[in-house]
Amino acid sequence: MHAKMVMKPAIVVALAVLCVGLLSASSCLARDFSIVGFSEEDLSSHESLAELFERWLSRHRKAYASLEEKLRRFQVFKDNLHHIDETNRKVSSYWLGLNEFADLTHDEFRATYLGLTPPAKTTTTSGNGPFRYGGVSDDEVPTSVDWRIKGAVTDVKNQGQCGSCWAFSTVAAVEGINQIVTGNLTSLSEQELVDCSTDSNNGCNGGVMDYAFSYIASSGGLRTEEAYPYLMEEGDCDDKARDGEQVVTISGYEDVPANDEQALVKALAHQPVSVAIEASGRHFQFYSGVRNHCSIIHLIRHCCKCCNSIHG
């Protein structure tokens, strides 16, 4: 478990966390993540499977360039459906569903959506001193926290077909801590990071939150999403958009102690955290929800935000 913190002029602190096995996400453009359900009857014949595929296509507004491509995607869909059904019969702590990725092979999914690029060496905190929440006693930590309810989490965003999860994870942490400090929840620009945070980050081909936090601190801050909207692709750093006022800035970031779950809980009790999770397993492609809040999902290379915590 590895984590980072960021700080802002009026002492804004945001935590960026690299860890394994955490859930909850903020991955721009509001898209529908609904799951198309299926029954035993849908699996009973080729005709019922074809009907289910058509419902799924309609729900996600998918279309293919040729009949051959549609037939190929149907075969992939059936294979994925078999995996989902088989997994749901065996696993009790979480379940999988027919989400918008059900016509992709796992290799295609990994190549498109898993955008965390692990740094060549362990990154270090940009701040000095001990862990910020190290002095918090276990008794001071609430049994549950939900930063969505507290108004520190923007609507769900979608990175689209761009490996920019690192940018979304960074922005979500800064949005959250900015709301906690100022009371204003402002949606900030992931695209600015994709285009402009290029020192060791690679846009849609992956990046690391550490470098993105460093960019925000050194560049003077981030613009709003409205001023510098997300395009789902890499672009040139837009100096015109960047001429606008930086809405939120930070002065640094700090690591949460590695392999210390209680330290992570303490951090999360004070602010949302940015996380990278083990997402290379096939299950994660169709992950739909958790049945048991106390279970850890062992599903690398995907970053998101953790905005709630339940422990006992």
Side-chain angles (χ1 to χ4, degrees), residues 32-67:
D32 195 337
F33 288 90
S34 63
I35 303 296
V36 173
F38 61 92
S39 66
E40 288 292 326
E41 291 183 1
D42 292 320
L43 308 177
S44 63
S45 68
H46 178 82
E47 290 73 18
S48 59
L49 285 171
E51 290 176 4
L52 177 62
F53 184 52
E54 291 297 333
R55 293 204 306 272
W56 180 85
L57 289 173
S58 175
R59 188 70 188 84
H60 293 286
R61 299 175 182 176
K62 294 245 184 176
Y64 304 111
S66 66
L67 177 59

PDB file of all heavy atoms in Angstrom, residues 32-67:
ATOM      1  N   ASP A  32     -23.448   6.462 -19.162  1.00  0.00           N
ATOM      2  CA  ASP A  32     -24.276   5.533 -18.425  1.00  0.00           C
ATOM      3  C   ASP A  32     -23.515   4.248 -18.173  1.00  0.00           C
ATOM      4  O   ASP A  32     -23.057   3.595 -19.103  1.00  0.00           O
ATOM      5  CB  ASP A  32     -25.526   5.250 -19.259  1.00  0.00           C
ATOM      6  CG  ASP A  32     -26.611   4.593 -18.440  1.00  0.00           C
ATOM      7  OD1 ASP A  32     -26.265   3.978 -17.416  1.00  0.00           O
ATOM      8  OD2 ASP A  32     -27.772   4.693 -18.828  1.00  0.00           O
ATOM      9  N   PHE A  33     -23.345   3.913 -16.891  1.00  0.00           N
ATOM     10  CA  PHE A  33     -22.624   2.695 -16.528  1.00  0.00           C
ATOM     11  C   PHE A  33     -23.595   1.572 -16.151  1.00  0.00           C
ATOM     12  O   PHE A  33     -23.236   0.652 -15.451  1.00  0.00           O
ATOM     13  CB  PHE A  33     -21.690   2.982 -15.342  1.00  0.00           C
ATOM     14  CG  PHE A  33     -20.504   3.813 -15.724  1.00  0.00           C
ATOM     15  CD1 PHE A  33     -20.570   5.186 -15.663  1.00  0.00           C
ATOM     16  CD2 PHE A  33     -19.346   3.216 -16.165  1.00  0.00           C
ATOM     17  CE1 PHE A  33     -19.484   5.956 -16.021  1.00  0.00           C
ATOM     18  CE2 PHE A  33     -18.252   3.988 -16.526  1.00  0.00           C
ATOM     19  CZ  PHE A  33     -18.317   5.351 -16.459  1.00  0.00           C
ATOM     20  N   SER A  34     -24.856   1.688 -16.595  1.00  0.00           N
ATOM     21  CA  SER A  34     -25.850   0.707 -16.184  1.00  0.00           C
ATOM     22  C   SER A  34     -25.500  -0.685 -16.696  1.00  0.00           C
ATOM     23  O   SER A  34     -24.848  -0.855 -17.713  1.00  0.00           O
ATOM     24  CB  SER A  34     -27.231   1.105 -16.698  1.00  0.00           C
ATOM     25  OG  SER A  34     -27.239   1.116 -18.104  1.00  0.00           O
ATOM     26  N   ILE A  35     -25.985  -1.659 -15.967  1.00  0.00           N
ATOM     27  CA  ILE A  35     -25.712  -3.052 -16.277  1.00  0.00           C
ATOM     28  C   ILE A  35     -26.948  -3.689 -16.894  1.00  0.00           C
ATOM     29  O   ILE A  35     -28.057  -3.560 -16.372  1.00  0.00           O
ATOM     30  CB  ILE A  35     -25.346  -3.826 -14.986  1.00  0.00           C
ATOM     31  CG1 ILE A  35     -24.154  -3.160 -14.292  1.00  0.00           C
ATOM     32  CG2 ILE A  35     -25.061  -5.275 -15.295  1.00  0.00           C
ATOM     33  CD1 ILE A  35     -22.875  -3.180 -15.071  1.00  0.00           C
ATOM     34  N   VAL A  36     -26.794  -4.334 -18.027  1.00  0.00           N
ATOM     35  CA  VAL A  36     -27.893  -5.099 -18.611  1.00  0.00           C
ATOM     36  C   VAL A  36     -27.941  -6.443 -17.915  1.00  0.00           C
ATOM     37  O   VAL A  36     -26.961  -7.188 -17.910  1.00  0.00           O
ATOM     38  CB  VAL A  36     -27.698  -5.288 -20.126  1.00  0.00           C
ATOM     39  CG1 VAL A  36     -28.756  -6.230 -20.681  1.00  0.00           C
ATOM     40  CG2 VAL A  36     -27.762  -3.941 -20.839  1.00  0.00           C
ATOM     41  N   GLY A  37     -29.079  -6.756 -17.323  1.00  0.00           N
ATOM     42  CA  GLY A  37     -29.210  -8.017 -16.612  1.00  0.00           C
ATOM     43  C   GLY A  37     -29.503  -9.171 -17.556  1.00  0.00           C
ATOM     44  O   GLY A  37     -29.834  -8.979 -18.724  1.00  0.00           O
ATOM     45  N   PHE A  38     -29.364 -10.394 -17.047  1.00  0.00           N
ATOM     46  CA  PHE A  38     -29.689 -11.562 -17.853  1.00  0.00           C
ATOM     47  C   PHE A  38     -30.215 -12.658 -16.945  1.00  0.00           C
ATOM     48  O   PHE A  38     -29.988 -12.655 -15.735  1.00  0.00           O
ATOM     49  CB  PHE A  38     -28.470 -12.053 -18.644  1.00  0.00           C
ATOM     50  CG  PHE A  38     -27.305 -12.490 -17.787  1.00  0.00           C
ATOM     51  CD1 PHE A  38     -27.175 -13.821 -17.401  1.00  0.00           C
ATOM     52  CD2 PHE A  38     -26.346 -11.575 -17.370  1.00  0.00           C
ATOM     53  CE1 PHE A  38     -26.104 -14.225 -16.616  1.00  0.00           C
ATOM     54  CE2 PHE A  38     -25.277 -11.974 -16.590  1.00  0.00           C
ATOM     55  CZ  PHE A  38     -25.155 -13.298 -16.208  1.00  0.00           C
ATOM     56  N   SER A  39     -30.940 -13.568 -17.522  1.00  0.00           N
ATOM     57  CA  SER A  39     -31.560 -14.660 -16.764  1.00  0.00           C
ATOM     58  C   SER A  39     -31.107 -15.997 -17.334  1.00  0.00           C
ATOM     59  O   SER A  39     -30.401 -16.061 -18.349  1.00  0.00           O
ATOM     60  CB  SER A  39     -33.083 -14.555 -16.850  1.00  0.00           C
ATOM     61  OG  SER A  39     -33.508 -14.767 -18.195  1.00  0.00           O
ATOM     62  N   GLU A  40     -31.530 -17.062 -16.674  1.00  0.00           N
ATOM     63  CA  GLU A  40     -31.202 -18.411 -17.155  1.00  0.00           C
ATOM     64  C   GLU A  40     -31.738 -18.623 -18.571  1.00  0.00           C
ATOM     65  O   GLU A  40     -31.098 -19.262 -19.402  1.00  0.00           O
ATOM     66  CB  GLU A  40     -31.798 -19.451 -16.207  1.00  0.00           C
ATOM     67  CG  GLU A  40     -31.105 -19.544 -14.858  1.00  0.00           C
ATOM     68  CD  GLU A  40     -29.700 -20.104 -14.979  1.00  0.00           C
ATOM     69  OE1 GLU A  40     -29.473 -20.960 -15.849  1.00  0.00           O
ATOM     70  OE2 GLU A  40     -28.815 -19.652 -14.225  1.00  0.00           O
ATOM     71  N   GLU A  41     -32.919 -18.063 -18.849  1.00  0.00           N
ATOM     72  CA  GLU A  41     -33.524 -18.226 -20.175  1.00  0.00           C
ATOM     73  C   GLU A  41     -32.674 -17.597 -21.266  1.00  0.00           C
ATOM     74  O   GLU A  41     -32.615 -18.104 -22.389  1.00  0.00           O
ATOM     75  CB  GLU A  41     -34.923 -17.607 -20.190  1.00  0.00           C
ATOM     76  CG  GLU A  41     -35.936 -18.366 -19.339  1.00  0.00           C
ATOM     77  CD  GLU A  41     -37.321 -17.761 -19.427  1.00  0.00           C
ATOM     78  OE1 GLU A  41     -37.482 -16.756 -20.170  1.00  0.00           O
ATOM     79  OE2 GLU A  41     -38.231 -18.276 -18.775  1.00  0.00           O
ATOM     80  N   ASP A  42     -32.007 -16.481 -20.928  1.00  0.00           N
ATOM     81  CA  ASP A  42     -31.159 -15.821 -21.919  1.00  0.00           C
ATOM     82  C   ASP A  42     -29.990 -16.695 -22.339  1.00  0.00           C
ATOM     83  O   ASP A  42     -29.433 -16.518 -23.428  1.00  0.00           O
ATOM     84  CB  ASP A  42     -30.618 -14.501 -21.355  1.00  0.00           C
ATOM     85  CG  ASP A  42     -31.696 -13.457 -21.158  1.00  0.00           C
ATOM     86  OD1 ASP A  42     -32.590 -13.358 -22.023  1.00  0.00           O
ATOM     87  OD2 ASP A  42     -31.649 -12.736 -20.141  1.00  0.00           O
ATOM     88  N   LEU A  43     -29.608 -17.634 -21.485  1.00  0.00           N
ATOM     89  CA  LEU A  43     -28.463 -18.490 -21.768  1.00  0.00           C
ATOM     90  C   LEU A  43     -28.858 -19.814 -22.393  1.00  0.00           C
ATOM     91  O   LEU A  43     -27.994 -20.649 -22.683  1.00  0.00           O
ATOM     92  CB  LEU A  43     -27.699 -18.761 -20.466  1.00  0.00           C
ATOM     93  CG  LEU A  43     -27.293 -17.545 -19.623  1.00  0.00           C
ATOM     94  CD1 LEU A  43     -26.608 -18.004 -18.340  1.00  0.00           C
ATOM     95  CD2 LEU A  43     -26.382 -16.623 -20.410  1.00  0.00           C
ATOM     96  N   SER A  44     -30.136 -19.995 -22.613  1.00  0.00           N
ATOM     97  CA  SER A  44     -30.638 -21.320 -22.979  1.00  0.00           C
ATOM     98  C   SER A  44     -30.498 -21.667 -24.459  1.00  0.00           C
ATOM     99  O   SER A  44     -30.509 -22.844 -24.826  1.00  0.00           O
ATOM    100  CB  SER A  44     -32.110 -21.455 -22.565  1.00  0.00           C
ATOM    101  OG  SER A  44     -32.903 -20.506 -23.270  1.00  0.00           O
ATOM    102  N   SER A  45     -30.370 -20.679 -25.339  1.00  0.00           N
ATOM    103  CA  SER A  45     -30.306 -20.973 -26.766  1.00  0.00           C
ATOM    104  C   SER A  45     -29.564 -19.866 -27.507  1.00  0.00           C
ATOM    105  O   SER A  45     -29.356 -18.765 -26.981  1.00  0.00           O
ATOM    106  CB  SER A  45     -31.715 -21.107 -27.357  1.00  0.00           C
ATOM    107  OG  SER A  45     -32.380 -19.841 -27.337  1.00  0.00           O
ATOM    108  N   HIS A  46     -29.187 -20.172 -28.730  1.00  0.00           N
ATOM    109  CA  HIS A  46     -28.512 -19.178 -29.556  1.00  0.00           C
ATOM    110  C   HIS A  46     -29.430 -17.984 -29.811  1.00  0.00           C
ATOM    111  O   HIS A  46     -28.976 -16.823 -29.789  1.00  0.00           O
ATOM    112  CB  HIS A  46     -28.099 -19.806 -30.894  1.00  0.00           C
ATOM    113  CG  HIS A  46     -27.444 -18.835 -31.837  1.00  0.00           C
ATOM    114  ND1 HIS A  46     -26.114 -18.500 -31.763  1.00  0.00           N
ATOM    115  CD2 HIS A  46     -27.972 -18.105 -32.885  1.00  0.00           C
ATOM    116  CE1 HIS A  46     -25.827 -17.610 -32.708  1.00  0.00           C
ATOM    117  NE2 HIS A  46     -26.926 -17.361 -33.399  1.00  0.00           N
ATOM    118  N   GLU A  47     -30.699 -18.253 -30.028  1.00  0.00           N
ATOM    119  CA  GLU A  47     -31.656 -17.181 -30.308  1.00  0.00           C
ATOM    120  C   GLU A  47     -31.804 -16.238 -29.114  1.00  0.00           C
ATOM    121  O   GLU A  47     -31.823 -15.015 -29.279  1.00  0.00           O
ATOM    122  CB  GLU A  47     -33.032 -17.771 -30.670  1.00  0.00           C
ATOM    123  CG  GLU A  47     -33.093 -18.474 -32.007  1.00  0.00           C
ATOM    124  CD  GLU A  47     -32.380 -19.817 -31.999  1.00  0.00           C
ATOM    125  OE1 GLU A  47     -32.136 -20.367 -30.889  1.00  0.00           O
ATOM    126  OE2 GLU A  47     -32.029 -20.303 -33.099  1.00  0.00           O
ATOM    127  N   SER A  48     -31.899 -16.800 -27.917  1.00  0.00           N
ATOM    128  CA  SER A  48     -32.058 -15.949 -26.729  1.00  0.00           C
ATOM    129  C   SER A  48     -30.781 -15.149 -26.467  1.00  0.00           C
ATOM    130  O   SER A  48     -30.835 -13.993 -26.041  1.00  0.00           O
ATOM    131  CB  SER A  48     -32.426 -16.792 -25.511  1.00  0.00           C
ATOM    132  OG  SER A  48     -31.444 -17.768 -25.241  1.00  0.00           O
ATOM    133  N   LEU A  49     -29.616 -15.750 -26.744  1.00  0.00           N
ATOM    134  CA  LEU A  49     -28.365 -15.026 -26.597  1.00  0.00           C
ATOM    135  C   LEU A  49     -28.280 -13.870 -27.600  1.00  0.00           C
ATOM    136  O   LEU A  49     -27.808 -12.771 -27.259  1.00  0.00           O
ATOM    137  CB  LEU A  49     -27.176 -15.967 -26.806  1.00  0.00           C
ATOM    138  CG  LEU A  49     -26.856 -16.924 -25.658  1.00  0.00           C
ATOM    139  CD1 LEU A  49     -25.812 -17.941 -26.098  1.00  0.00           C
ATOM    140  CD2 LEU A  49     -26.367 -16.161 -24.441  1.00  0.00           C
ATOM    141  N   ALA A  50     -28.749 -14.117 -28.813  1.00  0.00           N
ATOM    142  CA  ALA A  50     -28.752 -13.069 -29.838  1.00  0.00           C
ATOM    143  C   ALA A  50     -29.670 -11.916 -29.428  1.00  0.00           C
ATOM    144  O   ALA A  50     -29.337 -10.744 -29.626  1.00  0.00           O
ATOM    145  CB  ALA A  50     -29.191 -13.645 -31.183  1.00  0.00           C
ATOM    146  N   GLU A  51     -30.820 -12.241 -28.833  1.00  0.00           N
ATOM    147  CA  GLU A  51     -31.745 -11.213 -28.365  1.00  0.00           C
ATOM    148  C   GLU A  51     -31.128 -10.405 -27.226  1.00  0.00           C
ATOM    149  O   GLU A  51     -31.273  -9.181 -27.158  1.00  0.00           O
ATOM    150  CB  GLU A  51     -33.055 -11.852 -27.904  1.00  0.00           C
ATOM    151  CG  GLU A  51     -33.880 -12.426 -29.045  1.00  0.00           C
ATOM    152  CD  GLU A  51     -35.125 -13.149 -28.551  1.00  0.00           C
ATOM    153  OE1 GLU A  51     -35.370 -13.118 -27.315  1.00  0.00           O
ATOM    154  OE2 GLU A  51     -35.841 -13.732 -29.384  1.00  0.00           O
ATOM    155  N   LEU A  52     -30.446 -11.108 -26.319  1.00  0.00           N
ATOM    156  CA  LEU A  52     -29.765 -10.420 -25.220  1.00  0.00           C
ATOM    157  C   LEU A  52     -28.695  -9.477 -25.762  1.00  0.00           C
ATOM    158  O   LEU A  52     -28.549  -8.330 -25.293  1.00  0.00           O
ATOM    159  CB  LEU A  52     -29.129 -11.448 -24.283  1.00  0.00           C
ATOM    160  CG  LEU A  52     -28.302 -10.889 -23.114  1.00  0.00           C
ATOM    161  CD1 LEU A  52     -29.175 -10.054 -22.179  1.00  0.00           C
ATOM    162  CD2 LEU A  52     -27.641 -12.028 -22.340  1.00  0.00           C
ATOM    163  N   PHE A  53     -27.941  -9.928 -26.758  1.00  0.00           N
ATOM    164  CA  PHE A  53     -26.909  -9.098 -27.379  1.00  0.00           C
ATOM    165  C   PHE A  53     -27.519  -7.849 -28.001  1.00  0.00           C
ATOM    166  O   PHE A  53     -26.977  -6.740 -27.860  1.00  0.00           O
ATOM    167  CB  PHE A  53     -26.169  -9.909 -28.442  1.00  0.00           C
ATOM    168  CG  PHE A  53     -25.020  -9.196 -29.098  1.00  0.00           C
ATOM    169  CD1 PHE A  53     -24.021  -8.600 -28.334  1.00  0.00           C
ATOM    170  CD2 PHE A  53     -24.929  -9.128 -30.482  1.00  0.00           C
ATOM    171  CE1 PHE A  53     -22.947  -7.947 -28.938  1.00  0.00           C
ATOM    172  CE2 PHE A  53     -23.865  -8.481 -31.090  1.00  0.00           C
ATOM    173  CZ  PHE A  53     -22.873  -7.884 -30.320  1.00  0.00           C
ATOM    174  N   GLU A  54     -28.673  -7.997 -28.658  1.00  0.00           N
ATOM    175  CA  GLU A  54     -29.339  -6.842 -29.265  1.00  0.00           C
ATOM    176  C   GLU A  54     -29.814  -5.860 -28.198  1.00  0.00           C
ATOM    177  O   GLU A  54     -29.734  -4.641 -28.396  1.00  0.00           O
ATOM    178  CB  GLU A  54     -30.521  -7.307 -30.128  1.00  0.00           C
ATOM    179  CG  GLU A  54     -30.134  -8.065 -31.392  1.00  0.00           C
ATOM    180  CD  GLU A  54     -29.326  -7.215 -32.372  1.00  0.00           C
ATOM    181  OE1 GLU A  54     -29.479  -5.977 -32.357  1.00  0.00           O
ATOM    182  OE2 GLU A  54     -28.546  -7.794 -33.146  1.00  0.00           O
ATOM    183  N   ARG A  55     -30.302  -6.366 -27.079  1.00  0.00           N
ATOM    184  CA  ARG A  55     -30.712  -5.476 -25.978  1.00  0.00           C
ATOM    185  C   ARG A  55     -29.504  -4.719 -25.435  1.00  0.00           C
ATOM    186  O   ARG A  55     -29.580  -3.527 -25.139  1.00  0.00           O
ATOM    187  CB  ARG A  55     -31.372  -6.270 -24.849  1.00  0.00           C
ATOM    188  CG  ARG A  55     -32.690  -6.901 -25.201  1.00  0.00           C
ATOM    189  CD  ARG A  55     -33.556  -7.162 -23.970  1.00  0.00           C
ATOM    190  NE  ARG A  55     -32.901  -7.935 -22.936  1.00  0.00           N
ATOM    191  CZ  ARG A  55     -32.902  -9.261 -22.890  1.00  0.00           C
ATOM    192  NH1 ARG A  55     -33.516  -9.962 -23.837  1.00  0.00           N
ATOM    193  NH2 ARG A  55     -32.297  -9.898 -21.898  1.00  0.00           N
ATOM    194  N   TRP A  56     -28.405  -5.452 -25.318  1.00  0.00           N
ATOM    195  CA  TRP A  56     -27.176  -4.822 -24.825  1.00  0.00           C
ATOM    196  C   TRP A  56     -26.693  -3.748 -25.801  1.00  0.00           C
ATOM    197  O   TRP A  56     -26.309  -2.653 -25.387  1.00  0.00           O
ATOM    198  CB  TRP A  56     -26.107  -5.898 -24.635  1.00  0.00           C
ATOM    199  CG  TRP A  56     -24.805  -5.367 -24.135  1.00  0.00           C
ATOM    200  CD1 TRP A  56     -24.432  -5.129 -22.845  1.00  0.00           C
ATOM    201  CD2 TRP A  56     -23.683  -4.981 -24.942  1.00  0.00           C
ATOM    202  NE1 TRP A  56     -23.156  -4.620 -22.794  1.00  0.00           N
ATOM    203  CE2 TRP A  56     -22.675  -4.518 -24.054  1.00  0.00           C
ATOM    204  CE3 TRP A  56     -23.435  -4.974 -26.315  1.00  0.00           C
ATOM    205  CZ2 TRP A  56     -21.438  -4.072 -24.516  1.00  0.00           C
ATOM    206  CZ3 TRP A  56     -22.207  -4.520 -26.785  1.00  0.00           C
ATOM    207  CH2 TRP A  56     -21.235  -4.079 -25.872  1.00  0.00           C
ATOM    208  N   LEU A  57     -26.731  -4.033 -27.095  1.00  0.00           N
ATOM    209  CA  LEU A  57     -26.328  -3.054 -28.104  1.00  0.00           C
ATOM    210  C   LEU A  57     -27.190  -1.799 -28.028  1.00  0.00           C
ATOM    211  O   LEU A  57     -26.691  -0.668 -28.094  1.00  0.00           O
ATOM    212  CB  LEU A  57     -26.452  -3.656 -29.508  1.00  0.00           C
ATOM    213  CG  LEU A  57     -25.445  -4.735 -29.907  1.00  0.00           C
ATOM    214  CD1 LEU A  57     -25.822  -5.332 -31.259  1.00  0.00           C
ATOM    215  CD2 LEU A  57     -24.035  -4.154 -29.963  1.00  0.00           C
ATOM    216  N   SER A  58     -28.495  -1.999 -27.867  1.00  0.00           N
ATOM    217  CA  SER A  58     -29.418  -0.876 -27.781  1.00  0.00           C
ATOM    218  C   SER A  58     -29.162  -0.052 -26.527  1.00  0.00           C
ATOM    219  O   SER A  58     -29.154   1.186 -26.572  1.00  0.00           O
ATOM    220  CB  SER A  58     -30.862  -1.391 -27.790  1.00  0.00           C
ATOM    221  OG  SER A  58     -31.775  -0.327 -27.599  1.00  0.00           O
ATOM    222  N   ARG A  59     -28.939  -0.742 -25.412  1.00  0.00           N
ATOM    223  CA  ARG A  59     -28.735  -0.045 -24.145  1.00  0.00           C
ATOM    224  C   ARG A  59     -27.490   0.824 -24.183  1.00  0.00           C
ATOM    225  O   ARG A  59     -27.468   1.935 -23.644  1.00  0.00           O
ATOM    226  CB  ARG A  59     -28.608  -1.067 -23.004  1.00  0.00           C
ATOM    227  CG  ARG A  59     -28.583  -0.435 -21.617  1.00  0.00           C
ATOM    228  CD  ARG A  59     -29.967   0.133 -21.301  1.00  0.00           C
ATOM    229  NE  ARG A  59     -29.982   0.907 -20.077  1.00  0.00           N
ATOM    230  CZ  ARG A  59     -29.642   2.193 -20.004  1.00  0.00           C
ATOM    231  NH1 ARG A  59     -29.238   2.844 -21.082  1.00  0.00           N
ATOM    232  NH2 ARG A  59     -29.728   2.839 -18.866  1.00  0.00           N
ATOM    233  N   HIS A  60     -26.449   0.340 -24.821  1.00  0.00           N
ATOM    234  CA  HIS A  60     -25.186   1.072 -24.861  1.00  0.00           C
ATOM    235  C   HIS A  60     -24.954   1.783 -26.197  1.00  0.00           C
ATOM    236  O   HIS A  60     -23.865   2.306 -26.431  1.00  0.00           O
ATOM    237  CB  HIS A  60     -24.028   0.129 -24.541  1.00  0.00           C
ATOM    238  CG  HIS A  60     -24.053  -0.366 -23.131  1.00  0.00           C
ATOM    239  ND1 HIS A  60     -23.715   0.419 -22.063  1.00  0.00           N
ATOM    240  CD2 HIS A  60     -24.442  -1.565 -22.613  1.00  0.00           C
ATOM    241  CE1 HIS A  60     -23.849  -0.262 -20.942  1.00  0.00           C
ATOM    242  NE2 HIS A  60     -24.298  -1.466 -21.242  1.00  0.00           N
ATOM    243  N   ARG A  61     -25.974   1.777 -27.055  1.00  0.00           N
ATOM    244  CA  ARG A  61     -25.935   2.528 -28.322  1.00  0.00           C
ATOM    245  C   ARG A  61     -24.692   2.179 -29.127  1.00  0.00           C
ATOM    246  O   ARG A  61     -23.981   3.036 -29.646  1.00  0.00           O
ATOM    247  CB  ARG A  61     -25.998   4.032 -28.047  1.00  0.00           C
ATOM    248  CG  ARG A  61     -27.281   4.437 -27.336  1.00  0.00           C
ATOM    249  CD  ARG A  61     -27.289   5.905 -26.965  1.00  0.00           C
ATOM    250  NE  ARG A  61     -28.511   6.245 -26.238  1.00  0.00           N
ATOM    251  CZ  ARG A  61     -28.751   7.452 -25.720  1.00  0.00           C
ATOM    252  NH1 ARG A  61     -27.851   8.413 -25.829  1.00  0.00           N
ATOM    253  NH2 ARG A  61     -29.875   7.683 -25.075  1.00  0.00           N
ATOM    254  N   LYS A  62     -24.474   0.887 -29.240  1.00  0.00           N
ATOM    255  CA  LYS A  62     -23.307   0.405 -29.974  1.00  0.00           C
ATOM    256  C   LYS A  62     -23.699   0.052 -31.407  1.00  0.00           C
ATOM    257  O   LYS A  62     -24.795  -0.430 -31.677  1.00  0.00           O
ATOM    258  CB  LYS A  62     -22.736  -0.840 -29.295  1.00  0.00           C
ATOM    259  CG  LYS A  62     -22.166  -0.577 -27.909  1.00  0.00           C
ATOM    260  CD  LYS A  62     -20.683  -0.831 -27.905  1.00  0.00           C
ATOM    261  CE  LYS A  62     -20.104  -0.675 -26.514  1.00  0.00           C
ATOM    262  NZ  LYS A  62     -18.680  -1.020 -26.485  1.00  0.00           N
ATOM    263  N   ALA A  63     -22.785   0.278 -32.334  1.00  0.00           N
ATOM    264  CA  ALA A  63     -22.969  -0.103 -33.735  1.00  0.00           C
ATOM    265  C   ALA A  63     -21.606  -0.470 -34.303  1.00  0.00           C
ATOM    266  O   ALA A  63     -20.570   0.024 -33.844  1.00  0.00           O
ATOM    267  CB  ALA A  63     -23.595   1.036 -34.531  1.00  0.00           C
ATOM    268  N   TYR A  64     -21.603  -1.366 -35.286  1.00  0.00           N
ATOM    269  CA  TYR A  64     -20.352  -1.828 -35.873  1.00  0.00           C
ATOM    270  C   TYR A  64     -20.297  -1.504 -37.363  1.00  0.00           C
ATOM    271  O   TYR A  64     -21.333  -1.336 -38.018  1.00  0.00           O
ATOM    272  CB  TYR A  64     -20.202  -3.337 -35.647  1.00  0.00           C
ATOM    273  CG  TYR A  64     -20.284  -3.717 -34.192  1.00  0.00           C
ATOM    274  CD1 TYR A  64     -21.378  -4.430 -33.696  1.00  0.00           C
ATOM    275  CD2 TYR A  64     -19.290  -3.335 -33.296  1.00  0.00           C
ATOM    276  CE1 TYR A  64     -21.470  -4.768 -32.352  1.00  0.00           C
ATOM    277  CE2 TYR A  64     -19.372  -3.667 -31.956  1.00  0.00           C
ATOM    278  CZ  TYR A  64     -20.476  -4.383 -31.486  1.00  0.00           C
ATOM    279  OH  TYR A  64     -20.557  -4.703 -30.151  1.00  0.00           O
ATOM    280  N   ALA A  65     -19.100  -1.419 -37.886  1.00  0.00           N
ATOM    281  CA  ALA A  65     -18.896  -0.989 -39.273  1.00  0.00           C
ATOM    282  C   ALA A  65     -19.338  -2.036 -40.288  1.00  0.00           C
ATOM    283  O   ALA A  65     -19.636  -1.707 -41.435  1.00  0.00           O
ATOM    284  CB  ALA A  65     -17.429  -0.638 -39.497  1.00  0.00           C
ATOM    285  N   SER A  66     -19.397  -3.293 -39.878  1.00  0.00           N
ATOM    286  CA  SER A  66     -19.762  -4.354 -40.822  1.00  0.00           C
ATOM    287  C   SER A  66     -20.453  -5.500 -40.089  1.00  0.00           C
ATOM    288  O   SER A  66     -20.362  -5.619 -38.862  1.00  0.00           O
ATOM    289  CB  SER A  66     -18.518  -4.890 -41.531  1.00  0.00           C
ATOM    290  OG  SER A  66     -17.668  -5.547 -40.603  1.00  0.00           O
ATOM    291  N   LEU A  67     -21.112  -6.347 -40.850  1.00  0.00           N
ATOM    292  CA  LEU A  67     -21.748  -7.526 -40.279  1.00  0.00           C
ATOM    293  C   LEU A  67     -20.690  -8.473 -39.720  1.00  0.00           C
ATOM    294  O   LEU A  67     -20.901  -9.092 -38.664  1.00  0.00           O
ATOM    295  CB  LEU A  67     -22.580  -8.240 -41.348  1.00  0.00           C
ATOM    296  CG  LEU A  67     -23.261  -9.548 -40.911  1.00  0.00           C
ATOM    297  CD1 LEU A  67     -24.213  -9.294 -39.738  1.00  0.00           C
ATOM    298  CD2 LEU A  67     -23.989 -10.187 -42.094  1.00  0.00           C
TER     299      LEU A  67
END
